[in-house]
Amino acid sequence: MTGPDPVSLWHRLADTSVLLDGFHALKHAVRFGADVPVAVAVDRGAALALAEELAPDVRDTLDALLTQVPESAYATLVPRPHPTAVAALAVRPSRAAHLERLAHTPRTAPVVVLDNPRNLGNAGAVIRLAAGFGATGVVTTGTLDPWHPTVVRAGAGLHFATAVERLTVAELPPGPVFALDPEGDDIRGVKLPDDAVLAFGSERSGLSRELRARAGHLVALPMRPQVSSYNLATSVAMTLYHWSLGGS
């Protein structure tokens, strides 16, 4: 007995689902428990061979999920073809469950806050970093949708490995807020607790007035004089690495 046509199913679900664009996004989503109702590949055999090489733990799951479709059909499903020619749709995780996870205390890892970020790729890179460090979650303020397809693509599907939500500053999870600011104390002399809320300002304008007022601590990354700033994802990586060391 054959299942529903994957292209028709895709079109029925696309508006309410998370696009997993490429093999690695699908691999990570499956690895972290995503519900994937449809997954396609232009070359199913090549995709499974890639899984055998890079992700044998999910190879059998992908074998059950992937349906081969013509390249012309695949091209109608994604905004721009991925080099692996693999794509899938996943059910977005429960916002209520994410909010509960973010609010739960005591935490064993910080929450990362991106205050009014502008760049979709940067947001995705931060989510990928946060997942790698085991952060409790990533929260964005402002208008950027952290589940935008470009963010999910840049995050390589690792949205499913952490709690990703958009909130207002007033809705931020509990915990001491450590905001990154050039005028803050050198982070090398500061111990970041596990329940910290680590806030990073916009790529263009820095911290908003509202978030700065919420911060209990301003901390600064070491930087050579006359260098104006680090990339947002680099700043988050340096800060999470400092937290992971566990000392000051």
Side-chain angles (χ1 to χ4, degrees):
M1 181 176 178
T2 60
D5 170 55
V7 175
S8 299
L9 180 60
W10 186 290
H11 287 303
R12 290 206 306 271
L13 299 176
D15 290 343
T16 57
S17 300
V18 178
L19 173 62
L20 300 173
D21 196 4
F23 171 81
H24 296 290
L26 175 59
K27 168 196 74 177
H28 281 137
V30 167
R31 186 174 280 163
F32 289 99
D35 179 2
V36 180
V38 58
V40 300
V42 171
D43 187 336
R44 187 175 182 278
L48 293 176
L50 196 58
E52 190 69 42
E53 177 185 0
L54 301 178
D57 58 308
V58 298
R59 193 266 179 206
D60 289 347
T61 303
L62 296 183
D63 187 16
L65 284 175
L66 283 168
T67 302
Q68 184 159 311
V69 296
E71 186 171 6
S72 58
Y74 162 77
T76 68
L77 305 179
V78 294
R80 54 191 176 111
H82 191 275
T84 59
V86 171
L89 295 178
V91 177
R92 180 166 172 169
S94 160
R95 176 175 170 86
H98 275 180
L99 294 179
E100 182 178 354
R101 180 176 171 186
L102 290 166
H104 178 77
T105 56
R107 286 193 296 268
T108 57
V111 172
V112 173
V113 176
L114 303 183
D115 187 27
N116 200 25
R118 300 297 187 186
N119 186 284
L120 296 167
N122 279 346
V126 167
I127 292 165
R128 189 171 185 174
L129 276 165
F133 275 99
T136 296
V138 177
V139 169
T140 64
T141 70
T143 59
L144 183 144
D145 176 9
W147 286 87
H148 186 283
T150 301
V151 183
V152 178
R153 180 170 175 147
L158 282 162
H159 284 59
F160 293 89
T162 190
V164 178
E165 291 295 338
R166 178 168 51 180
L167 302 173
T168 66
V169 172
E171 295 170 329
L172 291 182
V177 178
F178 290 78
L180 276 289
D181 186 272
E183 302 304 316
D185 296 327
D186 190 320
I187 197 171
R188 291 172 291 186
V190 177
K191 178 177 174 59
L192 299 175
D194 293 345
D195 64 348
V197 176
L198 305 175
F200 300 82
S202 164
E203 298 93 334
R204 292 184 181 179
S205 54
L207 294 166
S208 66
R209 185 177 303 173
E210 187 179 7
L211 200 147
R212 183 184 288 271
R214 174 79 182 268
H217 313 268
L218 295 180
V219 292
L221 296 169
M223 188 181 301
R224 180 181 178 181
Q226 298 183 314
V227 175
S228 58
S229 65
Y230 294 119
N231 171 271
L232 177 60
T234 300
S235 297
V236 175
M238 294 172 70
T239 304
L240 286 175
Y241 180 71
H242 177 72
W243 161 74
S244 74
L245 296 177
S248 60

